[in-house]
Amino acid sequence: MVNKRGFASDNNAGVHPFILDAMASVNDGHVIAYGDDPYTEKAIRDIRQHLGQEAGVFFVFIGTAANVLGLSSATRSHHAVICPETAHIHVDECGAPEKFTGCKLLTSETPDGKLTLDLIARHMHGIGFEHHVQPRVVSITQATELGTVYSIEEIRTLADYAHEQGMFLHMDGARISNAVVSLDCDLYEMTAGAGVDILSFGGTKNGMMYGEAVVFFDPNLAADFKYRRKQGMQLSSKMRYIAAQFSAFLEKDLWKKNARHANRMAQKLYLAVKDIPGVRVTQKVEANAVFACIPPAVIAQLQQEYFFYVWDEDSSEVRWMCSFDTTEADIEGFARLLTTMLVN
Amino acid sequence: MVNKRGFASDNNAGVHPFILDAMASVNDGHVIAYGDDPYTEKAIRDIRQHLGQEAGVFFVFIGTAANVLGLSSATRSHHAVICPETAHIHVDECGAPEKFTGCKLLTSETPDGKLTLDLIARHMHGIGFEHHVQPRVVSITQATELGTVYSIEEIRTLADYAHEQGMFLHMDGARISNAVVSLDCDLYEMTAGAGVDILSFGGTKNGMMYGEAVVFFDPNLAADFKYRRKQGMQLSSKMRYIAAQFSAFLEKDLWKKNARHANRMAQKLYLAVKDIPGVRVTQKVEANAVFACIPPAVIAQLQQEYFFYVWDEDSSEVRWMCSFDTTEADIEGFARLLTTMLVN
Amino acid sequence: MVNKRGFASDNNAGVHPFILDAMASVNDGHVIAYGDDPYTEKAIRDIRQHLGQEAGVFFVFIGTAANVLGLSSATRSHHAVICPETAHIHVDECGAPEKFTGCKLLTSETPDGKLTLDLIARHMHGIGFEHHVQPRVVSITQATELGTVYSIEEIRTLADYAHEQGMFLHMDGARISNAVVSLDCDLYEMTAGAGVDILSFGGTKNGMMYGEAVVFFDPNLAADFKYRRKQGMQLSSKMRYIAAQFSAFLEKDLWKKNARHANRMAQKLYLAVKDIPGVRVTQKVEANAVFACIPPAVIAQLQQEYFFYVWDEDSSEVRWMCSFDTTEADIEGFARLLTTMLVN
Amino acid sequence: MVNKRGFASDNNAGVHPFILDAMASVNDGHVIAYGDDPYTEKAIRDIRQHLGQEAGVFFVFIGTAANVLGLSSATRSHHAVICPETAHIHVDECGAPEKFTGCKLLTSETPDGKLTLDLIARHMHGIGFEHHVQPRVVSITQATELGTVYSIEEIRTLADYAHEQGMFLHMDGARISNAVVSLDCDLYEMTAGAGVDILSFGGTKNGMMYGEAVVFFDPNLAADFKYRRKQGMQLSSKMRYIAAQFSAFLEKDLWKKNARHANRMAQKLYLAVKDIPGVRVTQKVEANAVFACIPPAVIAQLQQEYFFYVWDEDSSEVRWMCSFDTTEADIEGFARLLTTMLVN
């Protein structure tokens, strides 16, 4: 069976061969289950090379779990989490944050998926008033769900404000690799260095099979996380296979190479479609996504050749995601098809 | 690195090569994420070959999640789940059932890890009385945590009683393959055929890497499970790799071959140790585990050569698990060492 | 101690003497605790006189509990509740709905505290899509938190839409008495008759001491509510004292007399202040509240004489609530003071 | 209607007239709702006279809520609470502790409703092991559900052990007045003085109408309790009526007088029945309850005259509770009837 590539999502892609090989390479004999094994030890060490020797690093299965359990570590049920209305934790986790933490999410509309001080401040009332939930975490996504990227200064500003108010800054880094290469910075300065307290460090959208890391820069937050992970049904028995993926992901900059490629493909796609009549790109292309409004009439046929999702039915806005395995030919073929359909 | 095999747990083993190959074989191109792909469709079809065309089949990451989300489908928070005191859901899931379902577990001590009508009946009071939690599910483990196996008749008896009382029967089948080959029956007659309503169908302890299936024989229980799975943080984006494992697991009876081997190794181990002076086997060896009391003095040294766990410090009872990759030489070497240590 | 009346809230008032007498009158001898007593039976009968013989009626302690447990009866944790951004369940219950039900609240901004079909419809997407919470209940407050009142036709329209979509209509009736006298209708036609499925029937804001009734018009919703109430920590042992209050509340139309008085005082207040320079009334006065923007400079001094709350710091909007014991002299004195302060 | 007194429960009694009067006496004018009023301030002061100036005192509606919210303050969901199998929190709260805290209760069978070091120690394993829930609170009931009373030394022993293990000691004091008069000690030495960390201070079973106090002796536990109470649906708007009850309860030792009377009646009952042939008293009578096995044949008829509950059907054990309003004539009449029925 040959599965056609499209632009639906970076998690529609398969697994990078180097990672697959790494998984096979640890398949020898017995090691203690649940993470007390040398591969897991090494993977944690590898991540700490990037995120600091003090970082608390815990593997879970998926990004939703990384987000929810990370938030849970910083909250009690009467707290609230401030996030953009487009945040994955608000829109795409079927209420898992509320179910598991008990907390309310306080959302703000944004033009570009990014929180600002003003958007946070509108939720900062009723502090100390027992009838209201108490804001405790600010959660941002980097790169955002709209393909935009916070600058390090923007993150630092949010972190400083959060800390002044006794809050924590959480970063959903499902696409953090794409943000790192977009800003051409290193991982530490975008996270711990900019004041982030809790990081969901994702790899599945960038060539891994499964597995995500929750990283705490404040050891207090990590203190009883091992119980939270187990109770949160996220403790893998054969942990070595997640560990092997992360080590391979970080080795020889595979994570950056994959992300750089995906971002470059998005730029190419952007350039190829932005001037086609009827196409209006709606967001800055800073990572691996292109958002655009296109005529509703062409969507269905286009999807048949290159599958993708409609983001907003009302405005006929669509999302095109590039991934580590998107090819130049994919972009060219897609742009050619779109041109043909619209320029007639 | 060569990792030494021991008898600590069947999940200390790696992944069967046939399964690893199957995972690599689906690594081509893009498919729709979250299970809407042909591999997942096939794996569900493969499972239904064994468990009936009407079975609701849902993949999750681990056994704890399969148990918890399965129980959640049949309960509201004022319900209770009756289980043995040794049940994995009670002892080894860090309170995940309580956290996620809100339900109380009502436990009974058992000599062999198996519930009986009498042990259930002691919890059947206060029915309809609003101060008491209301029993709603009977949960059994097959094979049990003590390496014993319910006969089909025993399961049927519990199921009939549960149904008469308006309850459901849940089976934690983390080691169901071992039970099937132990009874030399087929999967259907031990589950749906015997009245089981909800099954956690496990493979990780028998050669898979990760992934477990929740199977509902009552379509009402499955009705909104897809939301529960997502909210329970158990929806894998790259589902094809779980699907590929299950298809490979069931193909050419790999699941039975692996289980038969593990059970046979446990029998061999049992025969090799049962008459060593100082060894007292404490449970029937019906699956892939041997439980025995041995002199405390020999435990530490023995563990250095072949790692295993102490089950009960007070009685110096230990657990030796065999797995799909245990070798005859492992058994022989272990028995020889134990003999040397004790017969002096 | 003489406590000065103000306009802070209708629950700053005491208890109507007739209700206090009724509580004392049932203080004789022993009756079975937890509601299995003749007073509770009578109170349920009294409520059914208004709400139908089939209504499921359950007493709880407070309005927050009535709302939360009522919503819980109609939902599982992956569901969502649609409500106005000003809803008590969203703003003033410290996240109790999320904590207890696990559900997300989907809110809409409104000009007047009232939901409309359009405001609901914007949340009706992703139906059947497992990544999204699933709308299950529409919750309205009658009279609203802004002192406005839904017409019976408006309620019926929302109920019909909800039912078409497989949802339920919940009514937070903390001030339902005020709405009933405002519309000059009977209780049934505004609730069950208009399609309401679950009602929080309040009395504390209208002369009772404590106690609220959850009323279900659909017997399926009531089926296991007694357990939910107990588990929700809302089952009073000495239930007779809640029952006595409700019977007294409904007897000789006390509930209507109290509400009519409070509404009339609000009208009087509205007429007395609306033309004072610097005062801008911001909401229709349809129940017992007056909302107005007034100059920030006068607020503190005014509060010293007649305590009330600022509703919105930014716009200097305040809320003045009238209650069953507000006197004409209170209104006159207040209006006189305000006039003096502003007309200089 | 004249309601006949029986021996079913101390909460089948009404409200002591002195308390009823106190409630009426605060029914004047407006005070700020939700506890920011002078009556509440006074009641807290009154309680602190007994329990220390540093005690954190919070009123809730019922004992179940006091227990659950108190436990919640000391736990996260992966913790466990150790209690006797007969504990109210385990048997009679419909799973509210599990639902609200997420914690597992670890129970021990006891002969007399009292925990001992041995009974606690059997749950102290798997500490630090992430698969197991982590014991965090020891919960005792004083007086116990079986009418027995812990000595101050016994409490101190349990508290010391709990503290050594990093755990807290919680006391369910639904009948704490009866224990205080039984031991002839003061409230402080039995609670804070003996090492108790969290106290549910009850009054409803001793002449109050509703309302219970959660008392924290460790200010850290109290830190965010006001939010927990609100989110736990236990914040009364018209708080003054709970406050008035507590002040009256403590004034002129009413709480002790009521409890002393109830205990004395239980002693009288015990003496009156203990030698009747066929009656076997099963527990020490140290508070206001008498437990006894009596012939099954006489139960139904006896209940018709004096209602009470069967505690254990199998052994025909019944519970007779005395309350503040039990009269000597009640005891005499009951003993006479029982004698007549049995001695023939």
Side-chain angles (χ1 to χ4, degrees), chain B residues 77-78 85 90-95 98-99 102 104-105 122 130-133, chain D residues 77-78 85 90-95 98-99 102 104-105 122 130-133:
Chain B
S77 56
H78 60 278
E85 202 176 44
H90 183 58
V91 177
D92 284 313
E93 302 188 349
C94 198
E98 286 90 345
K99 165 72 177 169
K104 187 188 286 290
L105 306 192
R122 63 170 287 238
E130 73 213 81
H131 300 262
H132 289 200
V133 293
Chain D
S77 56
H78 61 278
E85 204 176 45
H90 183 58
V91 178
D92 283 313
E93 302 187 352
C94 198
E98 286 90 345
K99 164 74 178 170
K104 186 188 286 291
L105 306 192
R122 62 171 289 237
E130 72 212 82
H131 299 262
H132 289 200
V133 293

Coordinates of all heavy atoms in Angstrom, one line a residue, chain B residues 77-78 85 90-95 98-99 102 104-105 122 130-133, chain D residues 77-78 85 90-95 98-99 102 104-105 122 130-133:
Chain B
S77 N -20.0 8.1 39.2 CA -19.1 8.2 40.3 C -19.6 7.6 41.6 O -18.9 7.3 42.5 CB -18.6 9.6 40.6 OG -19.7 10.5 40.7
H78 N -20.9 7.4 41.7 CA -21.5 6.8 43.0 C -21.5 5.3 42.9 O -22.0 4.6 43.8 CB -22.9 7.3 43.2 CG -23.9 7.0 42.2 ND1 -24.0 7.7 41.0 CD2 -24.8 6.0 42.0 CE1 -24.9 7.2 40.2 NE2 -25.4 6.2 40.8
E85 N -8.5 -8.2 46.4 CA -7.5 -7.3 47.0 C -6.2 -7.2 46.3 O -5.5 -6.3 46.4 CB -7.3 -7.7 48.5 CG -6.8 -6.6 49.3 CD -6.6 -7.0 50.8 OE1 -6.1 -8.1 51.1 OE2 -7.1 -6.2 51.7
H90 N -6.5 -2.3 41.8 CA -6.5 -1.8 43.2 C -5.1 -1.5 43.7 O -4.9 -0.5 44.4 CB -7.1 -2.9 44.1 CG -7.2 -2.4 45.6 ND1 -7.9 -1.3 46.0 CD2 -6.7 -3.0 46.7 CE1 -7.8 -1.2 47.3 NE2 -7.1 -2.1 47.8
V91 N -4.1 -2.3 43.3 CA -2.8 -2.3 43.9 C -1.8 -1.5 43.1 O -0.9 -0.8 43.6 CB -2.3 -3.7 44.1 CG1 -0.9 -3.7 44.7 CG2 -3.2 -4.5 45.0
D92 N -1.9 -1.6 41.8 CA -0.8 -1.1 40.9 C -1.1 0.0 39.9 O -0.4 0.2 39.0 CB -0.3 -2.4 40.1 CG 0.6 -3.2 41.0 OD1 1.4 -2.7 41.7 OD2 0.4 -4.5 41.0
E93 N -2.2 0.7 40.2 CA -2.5 1.8 39.2 C -2.6 3.1 39.9 O -3.1 4.1 39.4 CB -3.9 1.4 38.5 CG -3.7 0.0 37.8 CD -4.9 -0.4 36.9 OE1 -5.9 0.3 36.9 OE2 -4.7 -1.3 36.1
C94 N -1.9 3.2 41.1 CA -1.8 4.5 41.8 C -3.1 5.3 41.9 O -3.1 6.5 41.8 CB -0.7 5.3 41.1 SG -0.1 6.7 42.2
G95 N -4.2 4.5 42.1 CA -5.4 5.2 42.3 C -6.1 5.7 41.1 O -7.0 6.5 41.1
E98 N -9.9 5.4 40.9 CA -10.7 6.3 41.7 C -10.6 7.7 41.1 O -11.6 8.4 41.1 CB -10.1 6.4 43.2 CG -10.4 5.1 44.0 CD -9.4 4.0 43.9 OE1 -8.6 4.1 42.9 OE2 -9.4 3.1 44.7
K99 N -9.4 8.1 40.7 CA -9.2 9.5 40.2 C -10.1 9.7 39.0 O -10.8 10.7 38.8 CB -7.8 9.7 39.8 CG -7.4 10.8 38.9 CD -7.5 12.2 39.6 CE -7.1 13.3 38.7 NZ -7.4 14.6 39.2
G102 N -14.1 8.2 39.9 CA -14.7 8.6 41.1 C -15.2 7.5 41.9 O -15.7 7.7 43.1
K104 N -15.5 4.0 44.2 CA -14.8 3.2 45.2 C -14.6 1.8 44.7 O -15.5 1.2 44.0 CB -15.7 3.2 46.5 CG -15.0 2.6 47.7 CD -15.9 2.4 48.9 CE -16.2 3.7 49.5 NZ -15.1 4.3 50.3
L105 N -13.5 1.2 45.0 CA -13.2 -0.2 44.8 C -13.5 -1.0 46.1 O -13.1 -0.6 47.1 CB -11.8 -0.5 44.4 CG -11.2 0.3 43.2 CD1 -9.9 -0.3 42.7 CD2 -12.2 0.3 42.0
R122 N -20.5 -10.6 49.8 CA -20.3 -9.8 51.0 C -20.4 -8.3 50.8 O -20.5 -7.5 51.7 CB -19.0 -10.2 51.7 CG -17.7 -9.9 51.0 CD -16.5 -10.2 51.9 NE -16.4 -9.1 52.9 CZ -15.4 -8.3 53.0 NH1 -14.3 -8.5 52.3 NH2 -15.4 -7.3 53.9
E130 N -28.9 5.4 49.7 CA -28.1 6.5 49.1 C -26.8 6.8 49.8 O -26.0 7.5 49.3 CB -29.0 7.7 48.9 CG -29.3 8.4 50.2 CD -30.7 9.1 50.2 OE1 -31.7 8.3 50.4 OE2 -30.8 10.3 49.9
H131 N -26.7 6.3 51.0 CA -25.5 6.6 51.8 C -24.3 5.7 51.3 O -23.2 6.0 51.6 CB -25.7 6.4 53.3 CG -26.7 7.3 53.8 ND1 -26.4 8.5 54.5 CD2 -28.1 7.2 53.8 CE1 -27.6 9.1 54.8 NE2 -28.6 8.3 54.4
H132 N -24.6 4.6 50.6 CA -23.6 3.7 50.2 C -23.4 3.7 48.7 O -24.3 4.0 47.9 CB -24.1 2.2 50.5 CG -24.1 1.9 51.9 ND1 -24.1 0.6 52.4 CD2 -24.2 2.6 53.1 CE1 -24.2 0.6 53.7 NE2 -24.2 1.8 54.1
V133 N -22.1 3.5 48.3 CA -21.8 3.4 46.9 C -22.6 2.1 46.4 O -22.8 1.2 47.2 CB -20.3 3.2 46.7 CG1 -19.6 4.6 47.0 CG2 -19.7 2.1 47.5
Chain D
S77 N -4.5 13.7 44.5 CA -5.2 12.6 44.2 C -4.5 11.2 44.2 O -5.1 10.2 44.3 CB -5.9 12.7 42.8 OG -4.9 13.0 41.8
H78 N -3.1 11.3 44.3 CA -2.4 10.0 44.3 C -2.1 9.6 45.8 O -1.5 8.6 46.0 CB -1.1 10.2 43.6 CG -0.2 11.2 44.2 ND1 -0.3 12.5 43.8 CD2 0.8 11.2 45.0 CE1 0.6 13.2 44.5 NE2 1.3 12.4 45.2
E85 N -12.5 0.2 58.7 CA -13.5 -0.3 57.8 C -14.9 0.3 58.1 O -15.7 0.3 57.2 CB -13.5 -1.8 57.7 CG -14.0 -2.3 56.4 CD -14.0 -3.9 56.3 OE1 -14.3 -4.5 57.3 OE2 -13.5 -4.4 55.3
H90 N -15.8 6.0 54.9 CA -15.8 4.8 54.0 C -17.1 4.2 53.7 O -17.4 3.8 52.6 CB -14.9 3.7 54.6 CG -14.7 2.5 53.7 ND1 -14.2 2.6 52.5 CD2 -15.0 1.2 53.9 CE1 -14.1 1.4 51.9 NE2 -14.6 0.5 52.8
V91 N -18.0 4.2 54.7 CA -19.2 3.5 54.6 C -20.4 4.3 54.2 O -21.3 3.9 53.5 CB -19.5 2.7 55.9 CG1 -20.8 2.0 55.9 CG2 -18.4 1.8 56.3
D92 N -20.4 5.6 54.7 CA -21.7 6.3 54.7 C -21.7 7.6 54.0 O -22.5 8.5 54.2 CB -22.1 6.6 56.2 CG -22.7 5.3 56.8 OD1 -23.5 4.7 56.2 OD2 -22.3 5.0 58.0
E93 N -20.7 7.8 53.1 CA -20.6 9.1 52.4 C -20.7 8.9 50.9 O -20.4 9.7 50.1 CB -19.4 9.8 52.8 CG -19.4 10.1 54.3 CD -18.3 11.0 54.9 OE1 -17.3 11.3 54.1 OE2 -18.3 11.3 56.1
C94 N -21.2 7.7 50.5 CA -21.5 7.4 49.1 C -20.3 7.7 48.2 O -20.5 8.2 47.0 CB -22.8 8.2 48.6 SG -23.5 7.5 47.1
G95 N -19.1 7.5 48.7 CA -18.0 7.7 47.8 C -17.6 9.1 47.7 O -16.7 9.4 46.8
E98 N -13.7 9.8 47.6 CA -13.1 9.4 46.4 C -13.4 10.4 45.3 O -12.6 10.8 44.5 CB -13.5 8.0 46.0 CG -12.9 6.8 46.8 CD -13.7 6.5 48.0 OE1 -14.7 7.2 48.4 OE2 -13.5 5.4 48.6
K99 N -14.7 10.7 45.2 CA -15.1 11.6 44.1 C -14.4 12.9 44.2 O -14.0 13.5 43.2 CB -16.6 11.8 44.2 CG -17.2 12.9 43.5 CD -17.3 12.7 42.0 CE -18.0 13.8 41.2 NZ -17.8 13.8 39.8
G102 N -10.2 12.2 44.9 CA -9.5 11.3 44.0 C -8.8 10.2 44.7 O -8.2 9.3 44.1
K104 N -7.7 7.1 47.3 CA -8.1 5.8 47.7 C -8.2 5.8 49.2 O -7.3 6.4 49.9 CB -7.2 4.7 47.2 CG -7.6 3.3 47.5 CD -6.5 2.3 47.1 CE -6.3 2.1 45.6 NZ -7.5 1.4 45.0
L105 N -9.2 5.1 49.8 CA -9.2 4.9 51.2 C -8.7 3.5 51.5 O -9.1 2.5 50.8 CB -10.7 4.9 51.8 CG -11.5 6.2 51.5 CD1 -12.7 6.3 52.3 CD2 -10.6 7.5 51.7
R122 N 0.1 -1.9 58.5 CA -0.1 -2.8 57.4 C -0.3 -2.1 56.1 O -0.2 -2.8 55.0 CB -1.2 -3.9 57.7 CG -2.6 -3.3 57.8 CD -3.7 -4.4 57.9 NE -3.8 -5.0 56.6 CZ -5.0 -5.0 55.9 NH1 -6.1 -4.6 56.4 NH2 -5.0 -5.6 54.7
E130 N 5.9 4.4 42.7 CA 4.9 5.2 41.9 C 3.6 4.4 41.5 O 2.6 5.0 41.1 CB 5.5 5.9 40.7 CG 5.8 4.9 39.6 CD 7.1 5.3 38.8 OE1 8.2 5.0 39.3 OE2 6.9 6.0 37.8
H131 N 3.7 3.1 41.6 CA 2.5 2.3 41.2 C 1.5 2.3 42.3 O 0.3 1.9 42.1 CB 2.9 0.9 40.9 CG 3.9 0.8 39.7 ND1 3.5 0.5 38.5 CD2 5.2 1.1 39.7 CE1 4.6 0.6 37.7 NE2 5.6 0.9 38.4
H132 N 1.9 2.7 43.5 CA 1.0 2.6 44.7 C 0.5 4.0 45.1 O 1.3 4.9 45.0 CB 1.7 2.0 45.9 CG 2.0 0.5 45.7 ND1 2.2 -0.3 46.8 CD2 2.0 -0.3 44.6 CE1 2.4 -1.6 46.3 NE2 2.3 -1.6 45.0
V133 N -0.7 4.1 45.6 CA -1.1 5.3 46.2 C -0.2 5.5 47.5 O 0.2 4.5 48.1 CB -2.6 5.3 46.6 CG1 -3.4 5.3 45.3 CG2 -2.9 4.0 47.4

